[in-house]
Amino acid sequence: MKDNIIRAYGDTYNDGKIQLSFTFPVKQGLKAAEACKRYCFKLGLEDVEVVHMKDLKEGFTFFVVYAVSKESVNLDKITVAKIDTEIMDYYKINDYIKEKINRKINVVGACTGTDAHTVGLDAILNMKGYDGEYGLERYHEINTVNMGSQVANEKLIETAVKIKADAILVSQVVTQKNIHIKNLTEFVEILEAEGLRDQFILILGGPRISHELALELGFDAGFGSGTKPNEVASYIVQKVYKDSILVKGGE
Amino acid sequence: MNNKLDLDQKLISLCRNYTKSIADKVEKKIVNNTTTSVERTVLRFLGVDGVDEHGIPLPNVIVDKVRNEQKLNKGISYWFGNGLIQTGLPAQRLAEEISEGKIDLFSLPKEKNKDIIEFILEISEKKSEQIKQQVKKREMMQSKYPLGLKPWLYVIVATGNINEDVKQAKAAAREGADIIAVIRSTAQSLLDYVPYGPTTEGFGGTYATQANFKIMRDALDQVIEEEKRYIQLVNYCSGLAMPEIAQMGAEERLDMMLNDAMYGILFRDINMKRTFVDQHFSRMINAYAGIIINTGEDNYLTTADSLEESHTVLASQFINQELGLRTGLKNEQLGLGHAFEINPEIKDSFLLEIAQAQLVRQIFPDAPLKYMPPTKYMNGDIFKGHLMDGMFNFASIITDQSIQLLGMLTEAIHTPFIQDRALSIENAKHVFNSARNISSEITFNSNGKIQKRADQVLKETAELLKVIAKKGLMQSLSEGIFADIKRPIDGGKGADGVIKKDIDYFNPFAEVFSKELEIKDER
C-alpha cells in the first residue's frame, strides 16, 4: 500500500486493528458472545475477538471487542475547509471586544427543530463551559441568550432580530435521515427571503458538523465535537471586527 | 473520627456566629411572607390533585382564583377549609367543583376563624400521621435490608421516559448503586406548577410528577426485596414548585432531595424572597419526612474558578447548614455539597482536593456530605475521564465522604449509556473496596501542603462570612458573592408569587411540623 492510503494502526503498519465497545439487549452467555461476533462481521470487521463481556443485569450485556478492518482511506482525496482566525483565550477575547469593537457583542443560540440535544449548545454557551473553558454566558463583554432545545427557526430569527444579535448559533445533531439538514437549509432560506442574511454571522455546531458542511449549507462557519467556547468566541469577535471595517471602508 | 487536620476551632465557632446572624436576617425578611407555591402545597397535602380540562393542576387553579381576588394573605387553608366545612364535600370533589365554577369560595357563608383552624388542623394532623407512616416504613425496610457502606454510590437516570428510567435504574441498582436519582426534564425548575401523571417524554430528563415518583419507588422496592439492600431514591426539590415537590416526595417515600437554599436564585434566576420562603417550608417537609437533602455548592465550582472559590463553597455550606437546622432538619439530613473540580493539570491538584474534602468532613462531622465528580475538565477523552473518576473515588474514600455521585467517563458527550453507568459503578466499587479502611491509616503532615491549604480556605471563609454577615445575604447575592453570579434583590422569576401574610394567616402544616420538629415559633 502507498503511504497516502491508510488504515487503523495497532502495532504494525496498516494492520487495521481497532477496538470498540457496545451493549446488546440480551442476557449474557455463549449466545450473546456469538451474536456479538456476527454483528461485528456484519460491520465489515475480521479477526473479531470478544475480549471482555460483562453482564449489565436486566437482560443487557456489554462487550469489548478487538478486530481488524480492511477498509482504508486515501489522504490525497481529502480536503478540509479550515477556519483561519486566531484562537484567543477568555481574557484576550474580552479585551479584544473592549478595545476594537467598543460595544457588547450579542449572541443567541438554540437547538432548532425537533432537536433536544443541548449538550453541545450548553458546552459553548453555559457559564460552566467545557473542558475548563468558560462558556459565552460568562464573558462580560458578550450578551448571550440561550434559547435551549426544540426552537422553531422562526422563533430563533425573531429573537436574533430583537436582541440585535451579531451571531446566531445553531446546534444540531445531524442524523442519517437528514431531516436536520433540511431544517438547517430552511433556516438559511428564511433569512435570505426576509433580507436578513447579511445581518448575522451564522454559526453551525454539532458532533457531525464540519466547517465544510456548514459552508455548504450557507452558514459562515461550522464547529464539530471537541470545540471549546473560546474558539467560537474568537471567531465571532474577529468576524464582527472584520465586517465592521468592511462597512466603514477600512480604518 | 480522629481530628486529623489541626483546624482552628475558634475560627470555626466564629464562622458559626457569623452564620447565625446571617440566618437571623434572612428569617426576618421571609417570616411575614408566603408564596403561591407554599399555598398550593397546603392544598396538595389536603388532598387536592389532578388537572382541569386545560391540563392546569387544580392546586394552581384554586390558588390563582384566591390570589386574583387579593385574598391569599389569609392563607389558602382559610378559604378552602371554610369551603370544606360549608359544603361537606371531600377535598378533591370540592376542588373540582370550584374549578368548574359550580362553587364560589368567596360567596359561601363564613365559619369563625377559630373553628376553621380547628377543623383544618385536625385534617392536617391526620395527614401528617400518614407521612410518619412512610418514615416508619423506611426505617423498617432499612432495618430489614440495610443501606450499603458509605460512600454510597449515587447514579443518575435521565431518559425522559419513566418506563425506560425504571429499566436503567433497576440495572444500576443490581450492579451495586445505592442511590438512584431521576434527573428532571430541562427547565422543569422554571415551571410554576407540577406536571400531572406518568410521563414518557422529556428533554434531558424526566418530569418530576407524583405518579412518576410512585412508579420508580415501586420498582426500586421490588429490587430491594430481591437484592436485600435498601436503594435510596432521589429527586429535585428546587425551582418554582419547590415545596410541592417536597410534599410529593414525602408522600411517595423518596429518601433524598436536592434542596438548596440559594441554587434557584443563582442558577435559575428565581426571585430571592420567593426562594427563601419556598426553601423554608420545603425543608420543614423534608425534615418531617426524614428525607436527606443535598445542597448545591458543587455548582459554584463548575461556573467559577474551583481553586480560587473554595472558600465560597465552605461559606455556603455553613449558611445551608444553619438555615437547614432552623427548619428542623438534623445534621444527619444535611447532605452538604462540594465537588472535585480543580484543574487536574495543576501540580498537586489531588492534594488540594484532599484538603478541601477533609476540611469539610471535619467541620461537618455528622453531615452525609455529597461529593460531586469532575465535570468541568472532562472533554470527551473517556480513558482519561475514567482515570479522573478513579482519582475522585480515591479522594472520597480517603476523606470519608458519604454520598458519592459517580462520575461518568462519557461526561460532556451524552447522557449516560447503560454501560457508562455500569463502568462507573465498577470503578467506584473497585477503589472503595481496595482502600476501604485507608482513612484510619492516614494522618496529615502538620506542616504539609494539605494542612496549609485547609487553613487558608478556612481563614478565607471566615473573612467572607464576616462580610456577608455585615451586608446581609440578599445584598451579598446581589453583588455576585457566590459563583460570580449577580442577582438583583427584587428581580428574578416568581417574584409575583410572594404574598404578604395577614395578621391571622394560617398554614396548618407549618404549624403541625413546627410543633413536632420543635422549631421555635417563627412569628
Side-chain angles (χ1 to χ4, degrees):
Chain A
M1 251 182 207
K2 288 186 220 155
D3 282 1
N4 56 350
I5 295 174
I6 57 159
R7 281 187 189 146
Y9 180 99
D11 63 358
T12 308
Y13 194 70
N14 276 341
D15 59 12
K17 293 271 189 189
I18 62 164
Q19 61 188 35
L20 64 158
S21 62
F22 56 89
T23 299
F24 260 0
V26 63
K27 244 184 115 177
Q28 193 202 12
L30 291 175
K31 205 167 173 178
E34 184 56 28
C36 169
K37 255 189 179 172
R38 290 195 192 184
Y39 185 65
C40 291
F41 289 141
K42 283 198 170 173
L43 294 175
L45 303 174
E46 298 173 11
D47 293 344
V48 175
E49 282 180 76
V50 182
V51 297
H52 179 66
M53 180 164 70
K54 182 179 162 64
D55 181 5
L56 298 189
K57 315 285 161 63
E58 297 292 310
F60 292 98
T61 307
F62 176 58
F63 305 97
V64 178
V65 175
Y66 279 84
V68 168
S69 167
K70 288 276 165 68
E71 293 291 342
S72 59
V73 286
N74 186 341
L75 292 174
D76 290 348
K77 290 194 174 158
I78 298 172
T79 50
V80 188
K82 264 194 211 148
I83 295 169
D84 53 7
T85 47
E86 180 203 347
I87 295 173
M88 301 183 281
D89 68 11
Y90 169 81
Y91 302 97
K92 261 194 164 172
I93 293 168
N94 279 315
D95 289 347
Y96 185 99
I97 300 171
K98 260 195 253 173
E99 284 161 21
K100 297 211 166 181
I101 303 172
N102 201 19
R103 65 168 173 87
K104 296 216 170 175
I105 298 293
N106 300 312
V107 173
V108 60
C111 296
T112 54
T114 55
D115 199 342
H117 302 83
T118 57
V119 177
L121 183 70
D122 289 341
I124 302 300
L125 296 186
N126 267 6
M127 288 222 183
K128 174 178 166 180
Y130 169 68
D131 196 21
E133 279 292 339
Y134 297 129
L136 267 50
E137 280 178 0
R138 181 75 195 277
Y139 286 68
H140 41 81
E141 295 304 316
I142 301 179
N143 293 319
T144 306
V145 178
N146 182 349
M147 296 181 71
S149 66
Q150 302 193 313
V151 177
N153 284 330
E154 293 79 2
K155 188 88 195 154
L156 174 57
I157 293 168
E158 195 186 306
T159 309
V161 171
K162 206 169 85 191
I163 70 154
K164 299 203 171 77
D166 295 287
I168 305 177
L169 273 61
V170 176
S171 172
Q172 200 94 112
V173 176
V174 176
T175 61
Q176 290 91 334
K177 286 176 194 159
N178 283 341
I179 49 166
H180 296 101
I181 298 268
K182 201 176 137 222
N183 188 49
L184 292 169
T185 325
E186 187 199 275
F187 173 72
V188 178
E189 279 168 0
I190 297 174
L191 282 170
E192 277 169 355
E194 298 195 5
L196 295 168
R197 172 64 189 88
D198 294 337
Q199 288 187 22
F200 307 111
I201 301 167
L202 299 188
I203 293 174
L204 182 58
R208 287 178 203 83
I209 302 294
S210 64
H211 183 50
E212 200 167 271
L213 175 65
L215 295 179
E216 219 174 276
L217 294 170
F219 284 73
D220 292 308
F223 293 91
S225 54
T227 302
K228 294 179 187 177
N230 63 317
E231 294 174 31
V232 179
S234 294
Y235 172 78
I236 294 172
V237 298
Q238 289 171 68
K239 175 99 167 107
V240 169
Y241 179 62
K242 238 198 288 177
D243 291 354
S244 75
I245 299 173
L246 282 180
V247 173
K248 278 188 244 156
E251 253 178 344
Chain B
M1 191 184 54
N2 306 325
N3 196 8
K4 303 174 132 196
L5 287 170
D6 183 19
L7 301 176
D8 184 344
Q9 296 302 321
K10 268 193 205 144
L11 206 50
I12 295 175
S13 348
L14 193 61
C15 286
R16 293 230 151 85
N17 287 341
Y18 290 140
T19 314
K20 285 201 173 82
S21 112
I22 293 166
D24 283 343
K25 282 188 195 157
V26 172
E27 275 192 347
K28 255 187 216 145
K29 291 239 165 80
I30 62 174
V31 67
N32 294 317
N33 293 302
T34 182
T35 68
T36 43
S37 37
V38 166
E39 300 306 312
R40 297 197 302 256
T41 309
V42 171
L43 277 185
R44 287 181 181 275
F45 269 132
L46 290 172
V48 177
D49 197 5
V51 290
D52 72 2
E53 80 265 28
H54 308 295
I56 302 169
L58 293 184
N60 285 69
V61 172
I62 293 163
V63 165
D64 286 349
K65 267 185 202 272
V66 178
R67 178 177 62 167
N68 292 344
E69 297 290 322
Q70 315 290 333
K71 286 175 175 167
L72 200 53
N73 41 16
K74 283 172 87 70
I76 197 68
S77 64
Y78 170 80
W79 298 104
F80 199 76
N82 185 60
L84 289 171
I85 296 172
Q86 302 304 339
T87 62
L89 290 171
Q92 181 63 21
R93 191 67 227 139
L94 174 60
E96 285 163 11
E97 304 233 327
I98 297 167
S99 145
E100 287 158 15
K102 291 181 192 155
I103 290 175
D104 173 22
L105 281 178
F106 310 116
S107 58
L108 291 171
K110 302 282 178 304
E111 206 66 30
K112 272 193 219 138
N113 238 0
K114 188 172 116 314
D115 295 335
I116 297 177
I117 290 177
E118 202 174 300
F119 176 81
I120 209 91
L121 260 182
E122 203 186 309
I123 303 177
S124 306
E125 273 159 10
K126 266 188 210 146
K127 186 75 206 186
S128 306
E129 198 48 48
Q130 288 172 21
I131 294 167
K132 254 195 241 163
Q133 289 307 319
Q134 285 289 35
V135 178
K136 275 192 195 135
K137 184 163 183 200
R138 182 191 297 120
E139 286 167 1
M140 211 183 65
M141 286 184 80
Q142 288 186 358
S143 69
K144 194 170 172 195
Y145 307 117
L147 293 161
L149 291 173
K150 285 181 191 164
W152 291 321
L153 276 53
Y154 177 127
V155 297
I156 283 164
V157 296
T159 69
N161 179 338
I162 188 64
N163 304 313
E164 210 61 44
D165 284 344
V166 160
K167 270 187 225 163
Q168 301 228 355
K170 284 165 98 174
R174 289 192 212 284
E175 279 296 315
D178 297 297
I179 304 172
I180 304 288
V182 183
I183 288 262
R184 292 196 301 182
S185 186
T186 305
Q188 182 174 354
S189 52
L190 297 182
L191 300 181
D192 207 344
Y193 62 91
V194 182
Y196 179 72
T199 64
T200 54
E201 265 176 54
F203 312 111
T206 308
Y207 285 105
T209 73
Q210 191 156 351
N212 287 347
F213 282 9
K214 186 169 168 39
I215 289 169
M216 187 55 89
R217 178 76 275 173
D218 289 347
L220 291 183
D221 280 356
Q222 191 196 329
V223 179
I224 289 171
E225 298 270 347
E226 290 163 22
E227 299 286 314
K228 317 274 180 232
R229 194 162 48 85
Y230 191 85
I231 313 292
Q232 304 185 71
L233 176 58
V234 188
N235 212 289
Y236 294 72
C237 187
S238 59
L240 290 167
M242 186 193 285
E244 290 176 277
I245 295 191
Q247 166 269 333
M248 288 159 34
E251 294 197 357
E252 304 301 338
R253 190 168 40 83
L254 266 72
D255 303 289
M256 279 185 198
M257 282 285 189
L258 280 279
N259 190 210
D260 191 272
M262 295 174 282
Y263 179 86
I265 302 168
L266 293 170
F267 298 97
R268 292 289 178 260
D269 194 15
I270 295 174
N271 174 263
M272 285 189 205
K273 265 190 195 160
R274 172 73 181 259
T275 298
F276 283 122
V277 175
D278 281 352
Q279 66 90 25
H280 190 82
F281 188 47
S282 63
R283 284 180 168 188
M284 281 171 77
I285 298 169
N286 286 328
Y288 192 79
I291 286 171
I292 293 175
I293 65 158
N294 293 178
T295 61
E297 283 85 356
D298 49 285
N299 294 285
Y300 304 168
L301 299 181
T302 57
T303 49
D305 186 283
S306 357
L307 203 55
E308 285 163 21
E309 301 297 324
S310 302
H311 64 294
T312 65
V313 169
L314 184 54
S316 173
Q317 287 167 332
F318 273 116
I319 296 171
N320 254 317
Q321 179 192 35
E322 181 61 28
L323 289 173
L325 292 173
R326 289 179 185 216
T327 63
L329 286 164
K330 298 190 196 80
N331 273 313
E332 289 75 9
Q333 287 173 282
L334 292 170
L336 302 172
H338 63 132
F340 187 95
E341 288 281 21
I342 296 174
N343 183 350
E345 303 301 326
I346 291 175
K347 192 176 162 196
D348 286 329
S349 65
F350 187 69
L351 303 190
L352 300 171
E353 296 286 8
I354 295 277
Q356 183 79 15
Q358 183 65 27
L359 175 66
V360 177
R361 177 72 288 167
Q362 286 182 212
I363 293 179
F364 308 101
D366 300 319
L369 298 175
K370 159 95 171 279
Y371 204 18
M372 299 290 282
T375 61
K376 201 168 158 180
Y377 293 93
M378 298 292 270
N379 61 3
D381 179 352
I382 57 171
F383 301 103
K384 184 181 176 196
H386 204 45
L387 177 59
M388 277 163 65
D389 287 337
M391 296 290 278
F392 160 65
N393 291 329
F394 193 42
S396 177
I397 195 80
I398 288 174
T399 58
D400 284 314
Q401 302 297 307
S402 318
I403 299 167
Q404 183 82 348
L405 194 141
L406 298 189
M408 295 288 147
L409 74 169
T410 51
E411 175 75 39
I413 303 175
H414 49 231
T415 50
F417 286 175
I418 192 164
Q419 65 260 36
D420 302 340
R421 213 176 283 110
L423 286 166
S424 73
I425 291 171
E426 197 176 33
N427 181 331
K429 275 165 84 174
H430 168 72
V431 174
F432 292 170
N433 182 57
S434 55
R436 181 54 76 189
N437 291 302
I438 194 165
S439 77
S440 57
E441 297 288 329
I442 284 187
T443 51
F444 297 102
N445 178 352
S446 59
N447 281 316
K449 286 194 162 133
I450 294 176
Q451 175 72 50
K452 281 186 183 145
R453 171 69 182 172
D455 288 342
Q456 180 203 343
V457 172
L458 179 57
K459 200 168 139 251
E460 288 173 4
T461 303
E463 283 162 12
L464 177 64
L465 285 170
K466 186 177 176 185
V467 173
I468 300 175
K470 200 168 158 210
K471 286 185 179 167
L473 185 55
M474 293 192 181
Q475 181 63 32
S476 303
L477 285 166
S478 76
E479 291 175 11
I481 218 148
F482 293 118
D484 291 350
I485 300 171
K486 292 177 189 160
R487 297 298 187 198
I489 292 182
D490 293 315
K493 302 169 186 102
D496 58 345
V498 180
I499 312 282
K500 206 150 188 60
K501 288 178 185 171
D502 222 0
I503 187 79
D504 53 2
Y505 170 86
F506 190 66
N507 176 343
F509 291 94
E511 211 73 22
V512 174
F513 299 157
S514 298
K515 206 169 102 198
E516 296 202 28
L517 293 165
E518 296 174 354
I519 304 170
K520 274 177 265 157
D521 187 353
E522 47 181 75
R523 303 188 81 182

